[in-house]
Amino acid sequence: MEKRVLFRSKWLPWVLIAPQLLIIGIFFFWPAAQAVLQSFQMEDAFGMSTEWVGLDNFRTLFADPTYLDSFYRTAIFSVLVAGIGIASSLALAIFADRIVRFAMVYKTLLIIPYAVAPVIAGVLWIFMFSPSIGVVAYFLDKLGYTWNHLMNENQAMALIVLASVWKQISYNFLFFLAGLQSIPKALIEAASIDGAGPWRRFWNIQLPLLSPTTFFLLVINIVYAFFDTFGIIDAATHGGPGQSTSILVYKVYLDGFKALDLGGSAAQSVILMCIVVVLTVIQFRYVEKKVQY
Amino acid sequence: MVDRNPWLSFFSHAVLILGVALVAFPLYLALVASTHTSTEIVQAPMPLLPGTHMWENYKEALLGSGKLGSNTNVVHMMWVSFVVAMIITVGKIAISLLSAFAIVYFRFPFKMVCFWAIFLTLMLPVEVRILPTYKVVAELGLLNSYAGLSLPLIASATATFLFRQFFLTVPDELVEAARIDGAGAMRFFKDILVPLSKTSIAALFVIQFIYGWNQYLWPLLMTTSEDMYPVVVGIKRMVAGGGEAAIDWNIVMATAILAMLPPTLVVMLMQKWFVKGLVDTEK
């Protein structure tokens, strides 16, 4: 990671790196350390006194069925978001890669959701699915299917999954398209001469060569489902009905800011941090090596 | 393409048109809703073709009349969003250029410690440490300020890594030549390295602008005064109160369209750099 030719100065590199170190020190490491510290403490409701309680916060958390539920729901949610998102955008990218005419038009229209804020995506989707005024809910009703995500837990989950997938399709699509276009044309042509049809070529050449991209997107999509969907959930379901769509990051917010359980919320933050660190390590171990068959 | 199968080509277009239609439908519906009166929208099913009240709705949304439960208007909220997005974008790019330059072109004690410290910030989004970050910002007296809205979001290293990757590909001969010509480190940085990084800077600009403009959780927590709400928070506030039928959906949708406009334009106009930035950051 180093250059052969280096500039020499004792103080200049420190001046250059100081602004970034200062900002991450104050707004990243300081709060992160506080979160870890707080997770071992119990604070009374008025913030007057704190008490060291060791692992009690963690024990309470893992004994709490709503927290375990939240774990389970986060897992289902992120698997659905990543799975549906990756599959549908791969399909779109495969077909977009095949065509020449209007390719730019399709691409431009497909990347717009990337620019939409998650919370606005949430608002757009409740507008379509609102049981009283939503146009999609209305037509579902005409087809004999009653939609009410305010009452039905599964429908609430389906709504946030759809909205989250919608928002993430652009990102996945761009990566798959870039991946497909970086596959050497000669490879495809050779297979074609050997008599492989489009399906065979996709299955035996393109898909295996896309495996690093797919794996990378899998990790990115899971991280996205874990954290970036906060706005969607807050606008669409508020974590309800009950706590049925209250995924981990939403619960940190609910318990910390709404219920003012600082120790519990901090413990949840620490657990979340551990999950992200693990995901990032996995990503770097595999993606940096560029898994390829 | 290798084989010109007209059926396959037809099928490809059909799939893509269907995909685009599904993806664009929520946006189309928002656009249609923003052109009707609020009573027209709450009738089920709402009209699926544009109406005639576009001008009034957008005027109402932009300038406000206090009907939405707040005295601030969208023009002001969009200004807040714009300032925050610009501080985040420019701030992040500036500090990242400098620190990446230090990391790549200098040797100094504790360099690896600094490197890993910066690297660690890649992993944890602000959502994970909201409560303690809130406390720190409150103690510094930065609640309801532009600094408080933007600084915690600058504290991550994506840009530093993109620039580092790029600097590593710049040939060493350029430094040698610059030194022979008598240029110092900062001269080399200003006259050679930054101009060479133009594409990366453009790419990061698009991504960071959208990131900053679309922030929701952090501004939601740390702004208590209405005139510091970014537009994204403002919209949520409009739909938060009352039952779903009581909401002025036409105004909400007009506001949503207005709030989507700047980031969408940035993405569409700078598509090339945007894609480059995305694909390069991650690899």
PDB file of all heavy atoms in Angstrom, chain A residues 89-111:
ATOM      1  N   SER A  89     -33.199  -8.104  -9.857  1.00  0.00           N
ATOM      2  CA  SER A  89     -32.306  -7.200 -10.586  1.00  0.00           C
ATOM      3  C   SER A  89     -31.358  -7.974 -11.498  1.00  0.00           C
ATOM      4  O   SER A  89     -30.965  -7.467 -12.555  1.00  0.00           O
ATOM      5  CB  SER A  89     -31.543  -6.294  -9.630  1.00  0.00           C
ATOM      6  OG  SER A  89     -31.083  -7.012  -8.533  1.00  0.00           O
ATOM      7  N   LEU A  90     -31.026  -9.210 -11.113  1.00  0.00           N
ATOM      8  CA  LEU A  90     -30.202 -10.033 -12.006  1.00  0.00           C
ATOM      9  C   LEU A  90     -30.969 -10.300 -13.303  1.00  0.00           C
ATOM     10  O   LEU A  90     -30.419 -10.170 -14.404  1.00  0.00           O
ATOM     11  CB  LEU A  90     -29.815 -11.351 -11.329  1.00  0.00           C
ATOM     12  CG  LEU A  90     -29.041 -12.354 -12.202  1.00  0.00           C
ATOM     13  CD1 LEU A  90     -27.711 -11.744 -12.640  1.00  0.00           C
ATOM     14  CD2 LEU A  90     -28.782 -13.656 -11.463  1.00  0.00           C
ATOM     15  N   ALA A  91     -32.256 -10.620 -13.173  1.00  0.00           N
ATOM     16  CA  ALA A  91     -33.067 -10.874 -14.361  1.00  0.00           C
ATOM     17  C   ALA A  91     -33.088  -9.629 -15.264  1.00  0.00           C
ATOM     18  O   ALA A  91     -32.854  -9.718 -16.471  1.00  0.00           O
ATOM     19  CB  ALA A  91     -34.482 -11.259 -13.946  1.00  0.00           C
ATOM     20  N   LEU A  92     -33.320  -8.468 -14.642  1.00  0.00           N
ATOM     21  CA  LEU A  92     -33.364  -7.243 -15.441  1.00  0.00           C
ATOM     22  C   LEU A  92     -32.023  -6.968 -16.109  1.00  0.00           C
ATOM     23  O   LEU A  92     -31.968  -6.573 -17.285  1.00  0.00           O
ATOM     24  CB  LEU A  92     -33.763  -6.060 -14.560  1.00  0.00           C
ATOM     25  CG  LEU A  92     -35.224  -6.027 -14.114  1.00  0.00           C
ATOM     26  CD1 LEU A  92     -35.458  -4.926 -13.093  1.00  0.00           C
ATOM     27  CD2 LEU A  92     -36.156  -5.826 -15.313  1.00  0.00           C
ATOM     28  N   ALA A  93     -30.939  -7.193 -15.374  1.00  0.00           N
ATOM     29  CA  ALA A  93     -29.617  -6.913 -15.933  1.00  0.00           C
ATOM     30  C   ALA A  93     -29.300  -7.848 -17.099  1.00  0.00           C
ATOM     31  O   ALA A  93     -28.736  -7.432 -18.119  1.00  0.00           O
ATOM     32  CB  ALA A  93     -28.553  -7.034 -14.847  1.00  0.00           C
ATOM     33  N   ILE A  94     -29.672  -9.117 -16.970  1.00  0.00           N
ATOM     34  CA  ILE A  94     -29.419 -10.090 -18.040  1.00  0.00           C
ATOM     35  C   ILE A  94     -30.106  -9.628 -19.338  1.00  0.00           C
ATOM     36  O   ILE A  94     -29.502  -9.633 -20.409  1.00  0.00           O
ATOM     37  CB  ILE A  94     -29.980 -11.478 -17.633  1.00  0.00           C
ATOM     38  CG1 ILE A  94     -29.134 -12.076 -16.509  1.00  0.00           C
ATOM     39  CG2 ILE A  94     -30.037 -12.415 -18.834  1.00  0.00           C
ATOM     40  CD1 ILE A  94     -27.861 -12.721 -16.940  1.00  0.00           C
ATOM     41  N   PHE A  95     -31.364  -9.204 -19.201  1.00  0.00           N
ATOM     42  CA  PHE A  95     -32.074  -8.784 -20.412  1.00  0.00           C
ATOM     43  C   PHE A  95     -31.567  -7.440 -20.925  1.00  0.00           C
ATOM     44  O   PHE A  95     -31.497  -7.217 -22.128  1.00  0.00           O
ATOM     45  CB  PHE A  95     -33.583  -8.766 -20.167  1.00  0.00           C
ATOM     46  CG  PHE A  95     -34.158 -10.142 -20.037  1.00  0.00           C
ATOM     47  CD1 PHE A  95     -34.642 -10.615 -18.828  1.00  0.00           C
ATOM     48  CD2 PHE A  95     -34.166 -10.996 -21.135  1.00  0.00           C
ATOM     49  CE1 PHE A  95     -35.143 -11.905 -18.708  1.00  0.00           C
ATOM     50  CE2 PHE A  95     -34.666 -12.290 -21.029  1.00  0.00           C
ATOM     51  CZ  PHE A  95     -35.157 -12.747 -19.806  1.00  0.00           C
ATOM     52  N   ALA A  96     -31.195  -6.552 -19.996  1.00  0.00           N
ATOM     53  CA  ALA A  96     -30.681  -5.250 -20.427  1.00  0.00           C
ATOM     54  C   ALA A  96     -29.347  -5.423 -21.149  1.00  0.00           C
ATOM     55  O   ALA A  96     -29.022  -4.665 -22.068  1.00  0.00           O
ATOM     56  CB  ALA A  96     -30.521  -4.330 -19.227  1.00  0.00           C
ATOM     57  N   ASP A  97     -28.590  -6.431 -20.751  1.00  0.00           N
ATOM     58  CA  ASP A  97     -27.293  -6.684 -21.372  1.00  0.00           C
ATOM     59  C   ASP A  97     -27.461  -7.206 -22.804  1.00  0.00           C
ATOM     60  O   ASP A  97     -26.583  -7.058 -23.644  1.00  0.00           O
ATOM     61  CB  ASP A  97     -26.523  -7.694 -20.519  1.00  0.00           C
ATOM     62  CG  ASP A  97     -25.122  -7.959 -21.061  1.00  0.00           C
ATOM     63  OD1 ASP A  97     -24.442  -6.976 -21.390  1.00  0.00           O
ATOM     64  OD2 ASP A  97     -24.746  -9.134 -21.186  1.00  0.00           O
ATOM     65  N   ARG A  98     -28.603  -7.821 -23.090  1.00  0.00           N
ATOM     66  CA  ARG A  98     -28.827  -8.429 -24.402  1.00  0.00           C
ATOM     67  C   ARG A  98     -29.202  -7.424 -25.475  1.00  0.00           C
ATOM     68  O   ARG A  98     -29.059  -7.705 -26.662  1.00  0.00           O
ATOM     69  CB  ARG A  98     -29.972  -9.459 -24.315  1.00  0.00           C
ATOM     70  CG  ARG A  98     -29.667 -10.703 -23.531  1.00  0.00           C
ATOM     71  CD  ARG A  98     -30.704 -11.751 -23.861  1.00  0.00           C
ATOM     72  NE  ARG A  98     -30.695 -12.059 -25.280  1.00  0.00           N
ATOM     73  CZ  ARG A  98     -29.874 -12.934 -25.849  1.00  0.00           C
ATOM     74  NH1 ARG A  98     -29.019 -13.585 -25.119  1.00  0.00           N
ATOM     75  NH2 ARG A  98     -29.925 -13.152 -27.139  1.00  0.00           N
ATOM     76  N   ILE A  99     -29.790  -6.310 -25.048  1.00  0.00           N
ATOM     77  CA  ILE A  99     -30.356  -5.425 -26.064  1.00  0.00           C
ATOM     78  C   ILE A  99     -29.466  -4.216 -26.318  1.00  0.00           C
ATOM     79  O   ILE A  99     -28.625  -3.861 -25.488  1.00  0.00           O
ATOM     80  CB  ILE A  99     -31.748  -4.919 -25.645  1.00  0.00           C
ATOM     81  CG1 ILE A  99     -31.639  -4.225 -24.293  1.00  0.00           C
ATOM     82  CG2 ILE A  99     -32.741  -6.053 -25.617  1.00  0.00           C
ATOM     83  CD1 ILE A  99     -32.812  -3.365 -24.006  1.00  0.00           C
ATOM     84  N   VAL A 100     -29.650  -3.620 -27.466  1.00  0.00           N
ATOM     85  CA  VAL A 100     -28.879  -2.444 -27.821  1.00  0.00           C
ATOM     86  C   VAL A 100     -29.787  -1.218 -27.835  1.00  0.00           C
ATOM     87  O   VAL A 100     -29.476  -0.186 -27.237  1.00  0.00           O
ATOM     88  CB  VAL A 100     -28.223  -2.625 -29.214  1.00  0.00           C
ATOM     89  CG1 VAL A 100     -27.330  -1.447 -29.523  1.00  0.00           C
ATOM     90  CG2 VAL A 100     -27.436  -3.924 -29.247  1.00  0.00           C
ATOM     91  N   ARG A 101     -30.943  -1.376 -28.477  1.00  0.00           N
ATOM     92  CA  ARG A 101     -31.845  -0.224 -28.595  1.00  0.00           C
ATOM     93  C   ARG A 101     -32.526   0.108 -27.268  1.00  0.00           C
ATOM     94  O   ARG A 101     -32.886  -0.778 -26.513  1.00  0.00           O
ATOM     95  CB  ARG A 101     -32.907  -0.513 -29.658  1.00  0.00           C
ATOM     96  CG  ARG A 101     -32.307  -0.533 -31.063  1.00  0.00           C
ATOM     97  CD  ARG A 101     -33.317  -1.021 -32.057  1.00  0.00           C
ATOM     98  NE  ARG A 101     -34.381  -0.046 -32.268  1.00  0.00           N
ATOM     99  CZ  ARG A 101     -35.522  -0.341 -32.890  1.00  0.00           C
ATOM    100  NH1 ARG A 101     -35.742  -1.561 -33.315  1.00  0.00           N
ATOM    101  NH2 ARG A 101     -36.416   0.588 -33.075  1.00  0.00           N
ATOM    102  N   PHE A 102     -32.656   1.358 -26.983  1.00  0.00           N
ATOM    103  CA  PHE A 102     -33.318   1.886 -25.776  1.00  0.00           C
ATOM    104  C   PHE A 102     -32.628   1.490 -24.468  1.00  0.00           C
ATOM    105  O   PHE A 102     -33.180   1.698 -23.396  1.00  0.00           O
ATOM    106  CB  PHE A 102     -34.791   1.449 -25.697  1.00  0.00           C
ATOM    107  CG  PHE A 102     -35.590   1.766 -26.915  1.00  0.00           C
ATOM    108  CD1 PHE A 102     -36.191   0.760 -27.656  1.00  0.00           C
ATOM    109  CD2 PHE A 102     -35.734   3.081 -27.325  1.00  0.00           C
ATOM    110  CE1 PHE A 102     -36.925   1.054 -28.782  1.00  0.00           C
ATOM    111  CE2 PHE A 102     -36.479   3.382 -28.446  1.00  0.00           C
ATOM    112  CZ  PHE A 102     -37.073   2.377 -29.178  1.00  0.00           C
ATOM    113  N   ALA A 103     -31.429   0.881 -24.580  1.00  0.00           N
ATOM    114  CA  ALA A 103     -30.779   0.420 -23.349  1.00  0.00           C
ATOM    115  C   ALA A 103     -30.626   1.566 -22.356  1.00  0.00           C
ATOM    116  O   ALA A 103     -30.871   1.417 -21.165  1.00  0.00           O
ATOM    117  CB  ALA A 103     -29.430  -0.191 -23.681  1.00  0.00           C
ATOM    118  N   MET A 104     -30.241   2.715 -22.887  1.00  0.00           N
ATOM    119  CA  MET A 104     -30.012   3.880 -22.018  1.00  0.00           C
ATOM    120  C   MET A 104     -31.308   4.334 -21.330  1.00  0.00           C
ATOM    121  O   MET A 104     -31.290   4.740 -20.164  1.00  0.00           O
ATOM    122  CB  MET A 104     -29.439   4.999 -22.899  1.00  0.00           C
ATOM    123  CG  MET A 104     -28.747   6.089 -22.131  1.00  0.00           C
ATOM    124  SD  MET A 104     -27.321   5.437 -21.233  1.00  0.00           S
ATOM    125  CE  MET A 104     -27.077   6.781 -20.092  1.00  0.00           C
ATOM    126  N   VAL A 105     -32.416   4.261 -22.067  1.00  0.00           N
ATOM    127  CA  VAL A 105     -33.700   4.693 -21.502  1.00  0.00           C
ATOM    128  C   VAL A 105     -34.086   3.791 -20.323  1.00  0.00           C
ATOM    129  O   VAL A 105     -34.430   4.271 -19.239  1.00  0.00           O
ATOM    130  CB  VAL A 105     -34.806   4.644 -22.577  1.00  0.00           C
ATOM    131  CG1 VAL A 105     -36.147   5.076 -21.994  1.00  0.00           C
ATOM    132  CG2 VAL A 105     -34.429   5.527 -23.757  1.00  0.00           C
ATOM    133  N   TYR A 106     -33.998   2.477 -20.546  1.00  0.00           N
ATOM    134  CA  TYR A 106     -34.326   1.541 -19.466  1.00  0.00           C
ATOM    135  C   TYR A 106     -33.443   1.792 -18.253  1.00  0.00           C
ATOM    136  O   TYR A 106     -33.897   1.848 -17.114  1.00  0.00           O
ATOM    137  CB  TYR A 106     -34.129   0.095 -19.917  1.00  0.00           C
ATOM    138  CG  TYR A 106     -35.081  -0.361 -20.998  1.00  0.00           C
ATOM    139  CD1 TYR A 106     -34.612  -0.997 -22.136  1.00  0.00           C
ATOM    140  CD2 TYR A 106     -36.452  -0.167 -20.862  1.00  0.00           C
ATOM    141  CE1 TYR A 106     -35.476  -1.436 -23.124  1.00  0.00           C
ATOM    142  CE2 TYR A 106     -37.329  -0.600 -21.839  1.00  0.00           C
ATOM    143  CZ  TYR A 106     -36.836  -1.232 -22.977  1.00  0.00           C
ATOM    144  OH  TYR A 106     -37.699  -1.654 -23.946  1.00  0.00           O
ATOM    145  N   LYS A 107     -32.162   1.942 -18.524  1.00  0.00           N
ATOM    146  CA  LYS A 107     -31.199   2.107 -17.446  1.00  0.00           C
ATOM    147  C   LYS A 107     -31.512   3.365 -16.629  1.00  0.00           C
ATOM    148  O   LYS A 107     -31.567   3.319 -15.398  1.00  0.00           O
ATOM    149  CB  LYS A 107     -29.791   2.206 -18.049  1.00  0.00           C
ATOM    150  CG  LYS A 107     -28.703   1.745 -17.129  1.00  0.00           C
ATOM    151  CD  LYS A 107     -27.401   1.631 -17.888  1.00  0.00           C
ATOM    152  CE  LYS A 107     -26.290   2.350 -17.157  1.00  0.00           C
ATOM    153  NZ  LYS A 107     -25.041   2.381 -17.888  1.00  0.00           N
ATOM    154  N   THR A 108     -31.758   4.456 -17.345  1.00  0.00           N
ATOM    155  CA  THR A 108     -32.045   5.715 -16.653  1.00  0.00           C
ATOM    156  C   THR A 108     -33.287   5.593 -15.772  1.00  0.00           C
ATOM    157  O   THR A 108     -33.308   6.051 -14.634  1.00  0.00           O
ATOM    158  CB  THR A 108     -32.234   6.846 -17.680  1.00  0.00           C
ATOM    159  OG1 THR A 108     -31.111   6.835 -18.557  1.00  0.00           O
ATOM    160  CG2 THR A 108     -32.342   8.188 -17.009  1.00  0.00           C
ATOM    161  N   LEU A 109     -34.335   4.946 -16.311  1.00  0.00           N
ATOM    162  CA  LEU A 109     -35.560   4.824 -15.524  1.00  0.00           C
ATOM    163  C   LEU A 109     -35.375   3.890 -14.333  1.00  0.00           C
ATOM    164  O   LEU A 109     -35.936   4.109 -13.265  1.00  0.00           O
ATOM    165  CB  LEU A 109     -36.706   4.326 -16.407  1.00  0.00           C
ATOM    166  CG  LEU A 109     -37.229   5.365 -17.399  1.00  0.00           C
ATOM    167  CD1 LEU A 109     -38.147   4.721 -18.425  1.00  0.00           C
ATOM    168  CD2 LEU A 109     -37.960   6.486 -16.663  1.00  0.00           C
ATOM    169  N   LEU A 110     -34.568   2.856 -14.531  1.00  0.00           N
ATOM    170  CA  LEU A 110     -34.394   1.881 -13.447  1.00  0.00           C
ATOM    171  C   LEU A 110     -33.551   2.403 -12.284  1.00  0.00           C
ATOM    172  O   LEU A 110     -33.651   1.901 -11.174  1.00  0.00           O
ATOM    173  CB  LEU A 110     -33.773   0.587 -13.986  1.00  0.00           C
ATOM    174  CG  LEU A 110     -34.729  -0.357 -14.729  1.00  0.00           C
ATOM    175  CD1 LEU A 110     -33.959  -1.506 -15.345  1.00  0.00           C
ATOM    176  CD2 LEU A 110     -35.803  -0.885 -13.795  1.00  0.00           C
ATOM    177  N   ILE A 111     -32.702   3.413 -12.541  1.00  0.00           N
ATOM    178  CA  ILE A 111     -31.858   3.866 -11.423  1.00  0.00           C
ATOM    179  C   ILE A 111     -32.511   4.965 -10.590  1.00  0.00           C
ATOM    180  O   ILE A 111     -31.963   5.359  -9.561  1.00  0.00           O
ATOM    181  CB  ILE A 111     -30.447   4.321 -11.849  1.00  0.00           C
ATOM    182  CG1 ILE A 111     -30.517   5.518 -12.780  1.00  0.00           C
ATOM    183  CG2 ILE A 111     -29.658   3.194 -12.453  1.00  0.00           C
ATOM    184  CD1 ILE A 111     -29.137   6.080 -13.071  1.00  0.00           C
TER     185      ILE A 111
END
